[in-house]
Amino acid sequence: MSNPRFSASRFSAFKGCRQKYKLTYKDELVVIGKAADVTEKGLAFHSIAEEMSTNMTEEDLLQVASNIINEREFDKEKYPVIKSVPRLVYWWSYFVKPLEESGYEVRKEVWYNDVLAGAPVTGAVDCLIINEKEK
């Protein structure tokens, strides 16, 4: 297994179908077709979101998004990821920017390895906003 870390997708695959989990994450079977398009679309959006920052304009992010989308292979008409950019900018402006401007630190794609309620937990947090003074 090339990446032993867990994610919501891995947990969902394991819970939903152990054979799918084995084929996807242990045997690293590559799926061609609709499932691959959906995966590529999701990866494109995550890459765009990782580039977002408070000092970016919508136009800046649209340019970054266009480059990311063009590098990925999926049906761009069926999955118009570019249309998500204005909503992402709005969400960031409304929820993240005010916190960041008041002293919070924004961390993206943070891997979490700890114990929660006595059980080990490992996974990725897409966006973590921390008040460094008060933790």
Side-chain angles (χ1 to χ4, degrees):
M1 181 166 33
S2 64
N3 181 356
R5 293 178 168 170
F6 293 96
S7 66
S9 300
R10 285 178 185 237
F11 282 122
S12 178
F14 185 80
K15 184 178 176 185
C17 178
R18 298 225 174 148
Q19 183 64 22
K20 177 181 177 181
Y21 177 86
K22 178 189 175 297
L23 292 171
T24 303
Y25 297 107
K26 290 191 173 195
D27 298 342
E28 297 180 350
L29 181 72
V30 177
V31 179
I32 298 171
K34 181 181 176 186
D37 268 4
V38 171
T39 298
E40 284 297 309
K41 169 198 68 134
L43 291 171
F45 177 79
H46 271 263
S47 294
I48 294 164
E50 287 174 33
E51 294 295 323
M52 182 65 198
S53 67
T54 296
N55 61 355
M56 290 183 91
T57 66
E58 185 174 321
E59 292 75 28
D60 293 337
L61 191 59
L62 281 166
Q63 182 59 53
V64 169
S66 292
N67 294 337
I68 290 170
I69 290 166
N70 288 334
E71 292 172 359
R72 297 232 172 239
E73 304 237 353
F74 65 93
D75 186 338
K76 289 149 181 94
E77 288 184 28
K78 188 172 183 179
Y79 303 106
V81 176
I82 198 78
K83 288 184 176 183
S84 65
V85 169
R87 184 173 284 167
L88 174 61
V89 171
Y90 174 80
W91 175 84
W92 189 278
S93 301
Y94 189 82
F95 292 103
V96 179
K97 184 177 180 178
L99 291 172
E100 191 172 29
E101 289 176 343
S102 68
Y104 285 70
E105 180 183 343
V106 176
R107 298 181 192 166
K108 293 179 261 177
E109 288 297 314
V110 177
W111 280 94
Y112 183 79
N113 297 294
D114 208 339
V115 175
L116 180 65
V121 175
T122 302
V125 177
D126 290 328
C127 186
L128 183 63
I129 304 170
I130 300 171
N131 180 328
E132 280 295 331
K133 294 176 189 167
E134 299 174 14
K135 296 291 179 197

